[in-house]
Amino acid sequence: MMLSREVRLVRRPEGALRPEDLAIVEREVTDPAEGEVLIRNLLLSVPPAMNPRMIAGETMAGGAIGRIEKSRNPSFLEGDLVSHRFGFREVFISDGKGLALIRPDTDLPLAVYLHALSESSGFIAYGGILHIAQLQEGEQVFVSTAGGSVGSIAAQIAKIKGCYVVGSTGSDEKVRWLKTEAGLDEAFNYKSAPVRGQLKTLMPRGIDVYFDNVGGDHLDGALAQMNVLGRVAISGMISGYNEPGGRTVVRNLSNSIYRRVTLRGFTVADFIHLKDQFESDMTGWLRDGRIKYHETIYDGIAKAPAAIIDLMGGANLGKMLVRLAH
Ligand SMILES: NC(=O)c1ccc[n+]([C@@H]2O[C@H](COP(=O)([O-])OP(=O)(O)OC[C@H]3O[C@@H](n4cnc5c(N)ncnc54)[C@H](OP(=O)(O)O)[C@@H]3O)[C@@H](O)[C@H]2O)c1
């Protein structure tokens, strides 16, 4: 018998999540029975949105990478690394369902399996920009939350495809990283001046593709600059996530009529057939340094609630992770 700490939702927040909405709770974990494995989580992915179906008293869920510490299941050996959705807990028992074995390339750090090579970051960016937005070489591309996990990858894929790429982000430090490390043509801090005006200055040839992670003023500003037959791939609307009901207000939607702009929301289900192609392309781009990645890592389960809250405040450059063990 051992003890595991986990992060529980104590009450559903009305608006922004606060520290008192979450608690660290200890739970006893038994030895695995026949057919089961005991997993110790190493790295937790911190997502920007809470599952809307989650109710008070439940353990937070999220992507994670763990190591099999004890196995009584023939499909898993002790020491195997697995990715799964049982994050925000130190140790747990599984019957093997929902576990995917990962065989990390020795030259890539484990964290990329929760970021550039993960379904909820790298693959969303890849499928969203290439399949949903149907990106063409040389187009004018705008990506919001470009300093974050999904945005930083989407923006760099557009650069690889020979596009002119502008990113928005929430700090001057992230603007610098986007221009000097990630190689974007331009980046701006959306907190310094209205989005619409900054887009007008930095994208004088208009926008062919907008990869939207934010909604609200970003979507409005982009709609004002969209070119004829432009495409808006709607990945998320984070500006509304802390609003009760998750609303986002858009005023310039009518611009889509005469400019014949397509707006399309998406999930990985729309391009799951591209998974193998994605893994092969992304591994190559990571290896040859064409995709740069950065992680912001908090240490220990006690820091997980802060990581969730700080992510919404923009404390992360690249992917926000919590490290529980090496
Ligand atoms: N469609 C799908 O299936 C799918 C799957 C995964 C993720 N997503 C979406 O992808 C987006 C990015 O997710 P992620 O995991 O990569 O998170 P992330 O970008 O790494 O982190 C969230 C970032 O959002 C920015 N932000 C917070 N509040 C904001 C506001 N009011 N206005 C503008 N920016 C704000 C913050 O950065 P700065 O303020 O510093 O820029 C923060 O760092 C989210 O909208 C998410 O819902 C969609």
Side-chain angles (χ1 to χ4, degrees):
M1 189 89 79
M2 61 170 82
L3 287 175
S4 170
R5 289 176 295 170
E6 55 189 45
V7 182
R8 282 209 197 137
L9 185 69
V10 178
R11 61 172 188 213
R12 266 205 84 83
E14 277 299 304
L17 192 72
R18 287 175 300 181
E20 55 271 30
D21 297 328
L22 299 168
I24 307 281
V25 178
E26 267 186 352
R27 207 165 50 86
E28 285 184 347
V29 178
T30 53
D31 271 347
E34 190 60 39
E36 292 181 335
V37 292
L38 183 141
I39 296 166
R40 179 170 297 280
N41 277 333
L42 307 180
L43 277 174
L44 312 179
S45 166
V46 181
M50 192 191 305
N51 183 335
R53 288 181 297 277
M54 199 173 166
I55 47 177
E58 285 183 351
T59 304
M60 296 286 288
I65 291 174
R67 184 182 290 120
I68 307 282
E69 214 163 72
K70 294 182 186 172
S71 179
R72 295 189 64 196
N73 180 319
S75 305
F76 302 95
L77 299 175
E78 285 167 20
D80 277 349
L81 294 170
V82 285
S83 68
H84 56 79
R85 302 286 311 160
F86 306 98
F88 294 107
R89 66 207 78 192
E90 291 176 309
V91 175
F92 67 103
I93 296 287
S94 163
D95 61 5
K97 286 199 194 84
L99 304 181
L101 274 169
I102 53 174
R103 310 223 175 271
D105 288 286
T106 43
D107 55 343
L108 294 176
L110 200 54
V112 299
Y113 292 87
L114 290 178
H115 183 197
L117 277 170
S118 81
E119 204 163 88
S120 57
S121 287
F123 192 32
I124 277 289
Y126 181 94
I129 198 98
L130 297 180
H131 180 74
I132 301 294
Q134 290 288 309
L135 187 75
Q136 305 297 314
E137 208 177 310
E139 285 193 311
Q140 306 287 306
V141 178
F142 171 44
V143 178
S144 52
T145 70
S149 178
V150 172
S152 61
I153 305 294
Q156 292 181 81
I157 293 173
K159 274 315 299 170
I160 289 170
K161 299 292 174 190
C163 296
Y164 174 81
V165 184
V166 175
S168 70
T169 188
S171 78
D172 293 343
E173 184 205 340
K174 293 193 211 180
V175 167
R176 258 192 306 280
W177 185 84
L178 287 170
K179 294 209 288 192
T180 58
E181 290 291 317
L184 271 60
D185 297 286
E186 287 292 347
F188 66 89
N189 182 344
Y190 70 87
K191 293 176 181 166
S192 320
V195 173
R196 183 172 177 169
Q198 300 206 63
L199 283 176
K200 217 169 163 187
T201 308
L202 297 176
M203 304 199 74
R205 295 173 60 199
I207 302 172
D208 299 308
V209 166
Y210 171 38
F211 189 100
D212 186 20
N213 285 313
V214 173
D217 60 339
H218 281 70
L219 183 51
D220 261 335
L223 283 168
Q225 280 294 108
M226 291 304 292
N227 290 330
V228 169
L229 295 177
R231 286 90 65 209
V232 180
I234 302 176
S235 156
M237 293 202 172
I238 201 161
S239 65
Y241 293 176
N242 281 343
E243 303 295 323
R247 280 185 293 274
T248 181
V249 178
V250 179
R251 294 183 184 80
N252 287 326
L253 206 49
S254 59
N255 286 27
S256 63
I257 304 167
Y258 294 108
R259 296 190 202 159
R260 290 123 71 204
V261 171
T262 305
L263 289 90
R264 186 170 162 195
F266 61 93
T267 70
V268 283
D270 293 303
F271 39 77
I272 202 76
H273 59 285
L274 299 177
K275 189 80 187 283
D276 289 348
Q277 184 65 48
F278 155 71
E279 282 172 358
S280 150
D281 286 347
M282 188 58 72
T283 304
W285 292 334
L286 289 167
R287 281 227 177 89
D288 65 19
R290 297 183 83 190
I291 294 273
K292 301 283 193 311
Y293 50 89
H294 192 281
E295 286 95 25
T296 299
I297 302 182
Y298 285 26
D299 272 304
I301 191 97
K303 293 276 174 57
I308 300 169
I309 291 165
D310 291 355
L311 175 90
M312 291 304 289
N316 59 309
L317 171 58
K319 179 71 191 165
M320 179 72 100
L321 297 171
V322 178
R323 192 193 324 270
L324 301 187
H326 288 274

